[in-house]
């Protein structure tokens, strides 16, 4: 291997050293159970609230509207099941989209088995929902709409403010999976009329196994875990104090550096897209505008995406086809299928996501190596 190039920041990120440093004492020194009353525990209650405040500040919510979870998947599950079961007497209709993360889609499948009726909104060729189609899908018995803030495969940023405005007028609860969006764009849950929002710490340089769900005060939602009084009794269990501290530090750092970092990433992203599109018969998946700063997704006609990934891995490039969750699956990505990418192009897709350690030099290296590899794979095919 010539070098190690990590371009899969949407799958996960490393923990920043200053985040790890902040977490460390909470494993060994300040290990007290936050529910106990002696001094080492009292401190932990304080630090949990400080961490909640840091998260609340990033999305303009109240501190007591932040509930810790084990990650984005748990937050998504809780939002959907919690609202569905708590409001089932009001109605059993839920609206989502065809391009959600599996944490949403598979929860919806489960809810269908429980007797709920789910409408899956289609998206256009770039992955955007149609606000008119959403308006037309709303029924008397619609209790919840869940639409992701930004897509993890193709980077599409949905018109969240418009959606929030419509649903607020219709008095329907609005949940958004903001796992990819948070710390990459300004989010204001009050202005955007968001009732619930999922996030995950390991997507913004915090520890894995930590996330949060913002739940607007007054939202009718069932408990997730029954037990003690933690998380206002809604999600019981002794708090993951080191994880909570790490998540708070990580979101604070990422938010403070957001504008600068976005500018840098957009330049690198566009350079990478332009470089890869010079390869014959290559296509960009997802939009040029309203796209996540670090997301690149390109298909190369006639190439098997999984073979390409293995060769890139040999060279030292870590990338992904579709999304990490569907890698290895035989079917083409549900997101690419939804935006109308033909099966062979969907199977030849490559997702490269950029982040904190990505450099201009890495981008050049990756363009060179992919150009070479695609050319060689095509030549071999012709010769065989
Ligand atoms: C990563 C991701 C999740 C899942 O988060 P975990 O913390 O890994 O459970 C959910 N939604 C989106 C859009 C994601 O990118």
């Amino acid at each position: 291997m010539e070098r190690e190039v990590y371009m899969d920041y949407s799958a996960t990120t490393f923990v920043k050293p200053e985040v790890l440093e902040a977490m460390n004492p909470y494993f060994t020194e300040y290990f007290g159970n936050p529910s106990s009353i002696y001094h080492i525990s009292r401190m932990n209650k304080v630090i949990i609230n400080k961490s909640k405040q840091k998260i609340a500040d990033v999305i303009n919510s109240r501190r007591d509207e932040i509930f810790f979870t084990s990650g984005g998947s748990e937050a998504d599950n809780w939002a959907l099941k919690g609202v569905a079961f708590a409001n089932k007497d009001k109605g059993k209709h839920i609206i989502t989209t065809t391009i959600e993360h599996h944490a949403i889609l598979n929860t919806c499948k489960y809810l269908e088995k429980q007797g709920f009726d789910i409408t899956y909104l289609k998206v256009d060729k770039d992955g955007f929902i149609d606000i008119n189609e959403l308006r037309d899908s709303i029924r008397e018995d619609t209790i919840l709409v869940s639409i992701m803030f930004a897509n993890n495969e193709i980077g599409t940023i949905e018109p969240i403010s418009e959606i929030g405005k419509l649903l607020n007028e219709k008095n329907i609860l609005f949940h958004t999976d903001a796992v990819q969006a948070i710390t990459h764009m300004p989010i204001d849950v009050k202005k955007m009329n968001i009732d619930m929002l999922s996030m995950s710490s390991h997507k913004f340089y915090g520890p894995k196994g930590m996330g949060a769900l913002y739940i607007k005060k007054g939202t009718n939602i069932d408990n997730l875990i029954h037990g003690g009084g933690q998380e206002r009794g809604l999600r019981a269990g002794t708090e993951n104090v080191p994880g909570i501290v790490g998540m708070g530090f990580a979101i604070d750092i990422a938010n403070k550096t957001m504008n600068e970092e976005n500018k840098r990433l957009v330049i690198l992203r566009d350079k990478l897209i332009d470089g890869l599109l010079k390869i014959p018969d290559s296509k960009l998946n997802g939009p040029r505008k309203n796209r996540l700063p670090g997301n690149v997704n390109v298909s190369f006609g006639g190439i098997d995406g999984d073979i390409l990934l293995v060769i890139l891995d040999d060279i030292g490039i870590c990338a992904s086809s579709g999304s990490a969750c569907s890698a290895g699956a035989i079917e083409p990505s549900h997101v690419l299928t939804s935006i109308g990418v033909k099966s062979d192009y969907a199977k030849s897709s490559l997702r490269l996501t950029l982040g904190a350690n990505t450099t201009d030099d890495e981008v050049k290296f990756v363009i060179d190596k992919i150009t070479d590899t695609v050319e060689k794979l095509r030549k071999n095919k012709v010769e065989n």
Side-chain angles (χ1 to χ4, degrees), residues 65-166:
E65 293 173 317
I66 301 297
F67 295 83
F68 288 118
T69 65
S70 71
S73 300
E74 186 183 313
D76 284 345
N77 269 257
W78 186 10
L80 267 56
K81 291 183 223 169
V83 164
F85 291 127
N87 295 277
K88 64 178 189 299
D89 293 336
K90 272 175 69 185
K92 287 193 148 188
H93 182 231
I94 296 168
I95 301 171
T96 186
T97 79
T98 57
I99 61 163
E100 299 295 314
H101 188 273
H102 282 116
I104 295 287
L105 289 178
N106 287 336
T107 303
C108 285
K109 272 193 201 156
Y110 165 77
L111 287 171
E112 280 176 324
K113 282 193 192 139
Q114 302 298 314
F116 290 88
D117 193 7
I118 318 275
T119 296
Y120 299 89
L121 296 177
K122 291 203 247 356
V123 294
D124 71 10
K125 66 170 192 13
D126 286 328
F128 296 105
I129 67 128
D130 178 349
I131 195 90
N132 293 318
E133 197 189 330
L134 170 60
R135 189 182 289 109
D136 293 343
S137 306
I138 295 170
R139 308 191 318 213
E140 281 275 292
D141 60 340
T142 306
I143 50 172
L144 172 69
V145 173
S146 179
I147 296 176
M148 71 197 323
F149 210 117
N151 185 270
N152 45 304
E153 291 189 36
I154 54 172
T156 311
I157 299 164
E158 299 296 341
I160 293 299
S161 293
E162 257 185 278
I163 298 168
K165 188 165 171 284
L166 170 69

Side-chain angles (χ1 to χ4, degrees), residues 104-280:
I104 295 287
L105 289 178
N106 287 336
T107 303
C108 285
K109 272 193 201 156
Y110 165 77
L111 287 171
E112 280 176 324
K113 282 193 192 139
Q114 302 298 314
F116 290 88
D117 193 7
I118 318 275
T119 296
Y120 299 89
L121 296 177
K122 291 203 247 356
V123 294
D124 71 10
K125 66 170 192 13
D126 286 328
F128 296 105
I129 67 128
D130 178 349
I131 195 90
N132 293 318
E133 197 189 330
L134 170 60
R135 189 182 289 109
D136 293 343
S137 306
I138 295 170
R139 308 191 318 213
E140 281 275 292
D141 60 340
T142 306
I143 50 172
L144 172 69
V145 173
S146 179
I147 296 176
M148 71 197 323
F149 210 117
N151 185 270
N152 45 304
E153 291 189 36
I154 54 172
T156 311
I157 299 164
E158 299 296 341
I160 293 299
S161 293
E162 257 185 278
I163 298 168
K165 188 165 171 284
L166 170 69
L167 297 175
N168 187 47
E169 283 163 15
K170 302 274 183 190
N171 206 14
I172 294 167
L173 288 175
F174 177 31
H175 166 257
T176 186
D177 175 340
V179 171
Q180 292 292 335
I182 198 160
T183 74
H184 286 293
M185 62 193 54
I187 297 180
D188 184 323
V189 290
K190 297 282 177 287
K191 271 196 197 137
M192 294 172 162
N193 293 298
I194 297 167
D195 300 303
M196 285 169 290
L197 179 143
S198 303
M199 63 186 96
S200 174
S201 151
H202 74 100
K203 304 285 173 87
F204 50 71
Y205 310 95
K208 291 174 182 53
M210 262 316 295
L213 181 64
Y214 148 76
I215 308 173
K216 188 182 173 182
K217 213 174 158 62
T219 303
N220 189 19
I221 186 166
D222 271 1
N223 289 27
L224 178 67
I225 298 177
H226 301 268
Q230 295 93 352
E231 302 303 308
R232 310 177 83 78
L234 291 181
R235 198 247 185 200
T238 301
E239 296 89 340
N240 173 1
V241 182
I244 287 170
V245 171
M247 181 171 177
F249 261 79
I251 202 168
D252 190 41
I253 296 168
N255 195 54
K256 280 179 179 144
T257 52
M258 178 169 73
N259 290 342
E260 239 178 293
E261 181 65 356
N262 277 350
K263 266 186 220 154
R264 197 180 73 84
L265 288 177
V266 163
I267 292 170
L268 293 173
R269 175 197 70 188
D270 291 344
K271 196 167 196 168
L272 183 53
I273 290 175
D274 293 335
L276 294 179
L277 289 183
K278 289 210 178 90
I279 298 173

Side-chain angles (χ1 to χ4, degrees), residues 301-330:
I303 298 292
D304 181 327
D306 286 334
I307 292 177
L308 181 59
L309 271 190
V310 171
I311 297 172
L312 292 181
D313 179 40
D314 278 345
I315 297 169
I317 300 169
C318 306
S320 156
S321 71
S323 78
C325 315
S326 59
I330 312 145

